[in-house]
Amino acid sequence: MDAAEVVRVEYEARPVVMAAETAATNPAHLCMDWRLGDADAAFADAPHVVSLRLHNHRIVTNPMEPRGVVGDYDTTAEQFIAHVSSQSLHGNRDAIARVLNVPPERLRFIAPMSAAASAPKTSPIPSRR
């Protein structure tokens, strides 16, 4: 018997949250937090601030290629190497460097030929790290 055959998963239904404003009132509703720096100070120091309320419908994009990473570590160069299916190499590198707490120069991200650009594959998603 394969180990996966004995794994049992139970899911608990949770309330649906449709509005970003509602989700922001409870940290348990947030799946990721992309804030960097001091947003309050940035707005306070900004010469102009524009407010705009947008309503976007729920969308799903479905890339033809999987969101995958093949990684290796070069012990001679002391460098992490990642082959990624993304076109946002520097953004991904910098985000993962922060997660690993290493300088970005120690990471080398390589993107092989890709069929197309796909927005959902431009940044690392915490649930898929």
Side-chain angles (χ1 to χ4, degrees):
M1 178 177 285
D2 189 85
E5 294 175 306
V6 297
V7 173
R8 299 289 178 248
V9 178
E10 293 182 18
Y11 295 95
E12 181 180 327
R14 298 185 60 178
V16 175
V17 179
M18 296 295 290
E21 294 88 357
T22 305
T25 63
N26 184 343
H29 294 154
L30 301 177
C31 62
M32 66 186 82
D33 186 350
W34 289 96
R35 291 178 290 188
L36 296 173
D38 186 347
D40 293 331
F43 281 112
D45 294 341
H48 303 283
V49 176
V50 176
S51 295
L52 175 66
R53 180 174 167 80
L54 298 173
H55 176 76
N56 292 317
H57 64 286
R58 297 179 74 166
I59 60 171
V60 173
T61 56
N62 192 15
M64 292 172 51
E65 301 163 327
R67 182 185 184 111
V69 177
V70 175
D72 194 11
Y73 184 75
D74 183 338
T75 56
T76 304
E78 295 183 344
Q79 185 178 51
F80 297 91
I81 301 168
H83 295 264
V84 299
S85 61
S86 171
Q87 293 182 338
S88 178
L89 296 181
H90 295 96
N92 278 305
R93 179 204 61 197
D94 294 349
I96 299 301
R98 285 191 300 273
V99 169
L100 296 176
N101 197 27
V102 297
E105 300 78 36
R106 292 211 30 226
L107 290 139
R108 179 176 179 217
F109 274 45
I110 302 167
M113 186 172 22
S114 177
S118 182
K121 292 179 10 178
T122 58
S123 59
I125 296 175
S127 65
R128 298 198 176 137
R129 282 188 201 147

